Amino acid sequence: MKSLLLSSLLFASAALGTRVPGANGKITYDGYKAFRIHTGENEALVKELVESLPEAIKFNMDTAEHLDLVVPPKELKAFEALNLDSVVIYEDLGADIRAEGDFATYETTAARAVPSLTWFNSYHAYADHVTFFNDLAGAFPSNSEIFTVGQSLQGRDIFGIHLWGSGGKGSKPAVYFHGTVHAREWISAKVVEYVTYQLLVNYSTDAAVKAILDKYDFYILPFVNPDGFVYTQTTNRLWRKNRQTRSGSSCVGTDINRNWPYKWELTNGASTNPCDETYKGQAAGDTPENKALVAFTKTLVASKGIKLYIDWHSYGNYILTPYGYSCSATPSNNARQLELARGLNTRIQQSYGTRHTVGGACSTLYATTGDSTDYLTDVSKAEFAWTIELRPGSGTSNGFVLPAAQILPSGVEQWEGMKYLLATM
C-alpha cells in the first residue's frame, strides 16, 4: 500500500526508464543500495535534497518519520555527499531480490491430502500458488471451494477460496479478505494463505476455530492483481500497479486501490498522471480487476452482508481503520473499531513482539481516495473494513523485499491476532 509521495510518485516510470533488464529480461537492481533516512524535523529539507538524485527510488516514506531511498551505484557518491542521517537497509538490493526469489518447488499433493506447512518456508511462483489453493480446497471439500470473480486485463482468473462451517455454504455473514492488490507486496499473499490454512486444518480439532468458521463464511482472494504479481516475478520485482495501458500515454498501470467507485473524484488522495504509482484511472472503477471486485462485493452484500473486510498490504506494521478520503471523518462505530484494532495489535504482539500503529487511515498515514476500505464501509456497509500493513515495521531493516525466513512468523502472529478478532467482533 505504501504510496510514494510528492515527486516520488514517478517511481514506476523511473524504474523502467533507468534500469536495464538483464539477459533474462528481468531488472536486476544489482549494486543498488537502500538507505533509511531519518527526517525528524527536517522532512521538507530531506525531500528537497534527495531530489538531487534523479535516478534514486523513493522506496517508502512514512509520514514525518523517515524516507527509504534506493540509490543506484553511479549516484552513491552524490548521496554520501548529502551527509544525511541514514542507515543501510539493503547493502545490495539485487542480491536480496535474488535470494528472495529462490523459490522452492511445490509438488501437488495426493488426492485430498493437506499441503505441507513447508509451503511457508519460501516464496513461490504464481502457478504454484494456484495449485496450492486447489490442493487445499481438495483436501477439505466439505468446507471449501475455489471460485472466480472475473478476469484480469491479461485474462488471468481473479480467484478466491470460500470457506464455511456447519450452517452450509453461504449461510452466514461474510468475512472478506483481499491480498496482493499491490503487486510487489508478496508477503500479503503468504499471510492470507496461512490464515486460510489454519482455518481449514484446525476446524475439526480446535473448538475455537470451529466456532469461528461456524459463525462466518470466508471469501478470500489472495491475488487481486495477478498480472502485476506475475510481472514482479518475471521482470520488475518492485512493480506496484496492474498492467493496463492507456490511450495517449506510454506509461503502464493503474493502482487498483485508487480505482474503487467511491470518493474517486476527490483530489489529493491519488494521482491523475498515468506514470504515477497511485494513478487512479480515467474513470471510477474502469479497471477490469475493479469491475470484477465491485460486482462480486455486491453479491456478498445482497446475500448475508459483510461483517469484516481486510485488505492485506505491506509494509510498516499498521492497522488502519476508515477513512482514507478524510482525516476528520470517522465511521459511526469508530470507538468500537479502534477498540478491536487495539486488541488485535495486543494479540499480535504476543507472538514475537511485533507492534502495529493503530488509527484512521488518513490521519495515521496519508490520504487515499477511491480505496477499497472506504467503499466497503460506506457503500457495502461492512461493519468493519480495515487495511493491515504487514512486516517489516519502520524500526527494522527490509521493505517490500522481505526475507523468506519472515514468512512463517508473519503468518503466525497475524493468525493469533485473527483468532482474537474473529472471536471478539
Side-chain angles (χ1 to χ4, degrees), residues 125-275:
Y126 176 70
D128 283 349
H129 285 278
V130 176
T131 303
F132 171 85
F133 274 99
N134 284 324
D135 287 349
L136 197 57
F140 299 95
S142 299
N143 296 96
S144 65
E145 66 180 3
I146 302 297
F147 65 94
T148 300
V149 305
Q151 279 71 45
S152 66
L153 180 77
Q154 296 177 347
R156 294 182 176 89
D157 284 344
I158 303 173
F159 73 92
I161 187 169
H162 178 195
L163 317 181
W164 63 87
S166 60
K169 63 180 180 180
S171 63
K172 302 296 171 60
V175 172
Y176 187 26
F177 293 162
H178 284 179
T180 328
V181 176
H182 294 145
R184 62 194 175 203
E185 297 168 14
W186 289 8
I187 189 60
S188 68
K190 282 293 187 177
V191 166
V192 164
E193 288 168 343
Y194 189 83
V195 172
T196 305
Y197 186 96
Q198 294 298 329
L199 283 167
L200 286 174
V201 169
N202 292 302
Y203 177 72
S204 61
T205 58
D206 187 318
V209 174
K210 185 179 189 305
I212 290 169
L213 204 52
D214 285 347
K215 189 175 182 180
Y216 301 110
D217 275 62
F218 287 76
Y219 301 87
I220 300 170
L221 281 66
F223 294 97
V224 168
N225 182 10
D227 297 348
F229 179 75
V230 170
Y231 191 73
T232 65
Q233 295 195 327
T234 61
T235 307
N236 184 356
R237 175 63 184 85
L238 301 184
W239 187 259
R240 169 186 167 98
K241 301 183 285 184
N242 76 355
R243 295 296 300 162
Q244 191 168 1
T245 57
R246 300 283 182 171
S247 176
S249 175
S250 61
C251 294
V252 177
T254 300
D255 185 345
I256 299 169
N257 203 37
R258 300 297 186 276
N259 191 240
W260 286 77
Y262 182 68
K263 303 297 183 182
W264 178 90
E265 73 283 356
L266 299 182
T267 58
N268 300 322
S271 175
T272 58
N273 183 345
C275 298

Side-chain angles (χ1 to χ4, degrees), residues 79-118:
F79 171 78
E80 293 168 359
L82 296 177
N83 197 30
L84 297 172
D85 180 11
S86 65
V87 294
V88 176
I89 59 173
Y90 291 107
E91 189 68 39
D92 184 339
L93 182 59
D96 285 294
I97 288 174
R98 283 194 299 278
E100 182 196 45
D102 288 338
F103 299 156
T105 300
Y106 176 67
E107 300 293 341
T108 187
T109 63
R112 299 197 174 187
V114 180
S116 169
L117 265 174
T118 59

Side-chain angles (χ1 to χ4, degrees), residues 334-376:
N334 190 53
R336 179 60 174 158
Q337 297 225 34
L338 291 175
E339 177 187 22
L340 285 171
R342 291 172 184 137
L344 173 61
N345 177 39
T346 298
R347 186 60 62 91
I348 290 171
Q349 288 180 46
Q350 292 177 5
S351 295
Y352 303 99
T354 304
R355 296 175 181 269
H356 289 64
T357 301
V358 175
C362 178
S363 58
T364 302
L365 203 53
Y366 45 69
T368 57
T369 52
D371 70 67
S372 63
T373 52
D374 288 355
Y375 180 94
L376 266 290

Side-chain angles (χ1 to χ4, degrees), residues 289-305:
E289 294 86 358
N290 192 265
K291 289 177 182 176
L293 295 170
V294 168
F296 178 70
T297 302
K298 287 179 178 179
T299 68
L300 298 183
V301 174
S303 179
K304 300 296 180 180

